[in-house]
Amino acid sequence: MKTTKSENTKRLIIEKTASVFNTKGYAGTSINDLMDATGLSKGCIYGNFQNKDEIALSVFDHNFDMVTQHMKERILATENSIERLLVYPQTYKNYFRYPYLQAGCPILNTATEADDTHPKLKERAQKALGFWKASIVNQIKRGIERKEIKEDADATEISVIMISMIEGAFMQAKVNNHITELKIAMSFLEKLIKNLKV
């Protein structure tokens, strides 16, 4: 189906401003930043979006979709449940290879900033976090059913630990501007996952 000029312009604005929002945050991103990133005028930008809020929400969806699509492709590339879980530490340990992760994890960045100041963004981050947690829980349950993961493994507990380790290590990498702690944490997470094997 052919896309309209307006749809193409909207997509361009979202794609060009995605890394700006993820790097500078919602509050730190100005209309001038959006104009610089897109090469468009203020009138053109706000002719396609009602306000900065609407752009920020669309950008969050875009950034999260990019991460989700990447993970999905890598997870579906293998049948083994342990290998599927290992996709997470392996991806985040090498996050600098992926442009949409270089500015940080969109969930962490959004959740940190949108805590109580931006309810709609906070709601988006909550839903994304819930989706991520459910995905890991489902992979673990699948592994138990296939007798690839120990039957006494607590899927919810493991998913909470995995996400906490990934996000905590990512935060340290951003604050310290190097990936030493991230690599240490992801190596530990790999061991934790391998220990789930039957």
Side-chain angles (χ1 to χ4, degrees):
M1 195 167 74
K2 195 175 179 183
T3 54
T4 65
K5 186 180 176 185
S6 174
E7 288 169 335
N8 287 334
T9 305
K10 272 190 167 185
R11 190 174 73 246
L12 179 138
I13 292 168
I14 291 165
E15 289 174 354
K16 294 283 186 184
T17 62
S19 63
V20 179
F21 275 106
N22 209 25
T23 305
K24 292 192 166 192
Y26 170 78
T29 300
S30 67
I31 182 61
N32 286 334
D33 292 324
L34 303 182
M35 289 163 62
D36 289 344
T38 60
L40 300 173
S41 68
K42 181 178 178 179
C44 183
I45 292 170
Y46 285 139
N48 285 280
F49 291 93
Q50 286 184 356
N51 49 40
K52 192 171 84 166
D53 284 14
E54 193 180 1
I55 302 170
L57 292 168
S58 297
V59 163
F60 175 82
D61 291 342
H62 169 78
N63 283 338
F64 184 63
D65 285 347
M66 292 285 287
V67 176
T68 303
Q69 192 57 40
H70 171 82
M71 291 297 190
K72 186 179 177 183
E73 285 172 11
R74 295 196 61 199
I75 286 167
L76 293 179
T78 178
E79 278 296 308
N80 183 274
S81 303
I82 296 292
E83 293 299 320
R84 286 184 168 197
L85 290 176
L86 286 170
V87 165
Y88 292 99
Q90 288 163 358
T91 298
Y92 283 98
K93 184 162 58 175
N94 299 299
Y95 78 93
F96 47 86
R97 292 182 187 170
Y98 311 110
Y100 46 87
L101 281 177
Q102 284 171 11
C105 174
I107 299 174
L108 175 65
N109 290 353
T110 304
T112 304
E113 185 187 26
D115 193 11
D116 294 311
T117 56
H118 201 299
K120 285 186 180 176
L121 264 179
K122 183 180 179 181
E123 186 184 330
R124 283 288 214 288
Q126 284 174 331
K127 283 184 180 174
L129 199 55
F131 175 83
W132 187 10
K133 183 179 169 186
S135 299
I136 295 173
V137 165
N138 290 338
Q139 288 300 336
I140 294 165
K141 287 181 176 176
R142 174 184 177 275
I144 292 169
E145 286 171 12
R146 292 166 61 99
K147 304 203 182 309
E148 294 168 347
I149 290 176
K150 293 172 184 173
E151 63 180 354
D152 64 345
D154 186 320
T156 301
E157 183 180 87
I158 294 161
S159 70
V160 169
I161 291 167
M162 281 181 65
I163 292 170
S164 299
M165 285 183 72
I166 290 166
E167 295 294 30
F170 223 133
M171 179 269 296
Q172 289 186 69
K174 276 197 78 178
V175 169
N176 294 324
N177 225 14
H178 60 71
I179 59 170
T180 306
E181 290 87 357
L182 180 62
K183 289 209 165 201
I184 290 168
M186 293 306 96
S187 294
F188 184 84
L189 184 53
E190 285 176 351
K191 288 177 195 169
L192 187 147
I193 292 168
K194 287 173 183 176
N195 283 337
L196 297 172
K197 193 175 180 179
V198 173

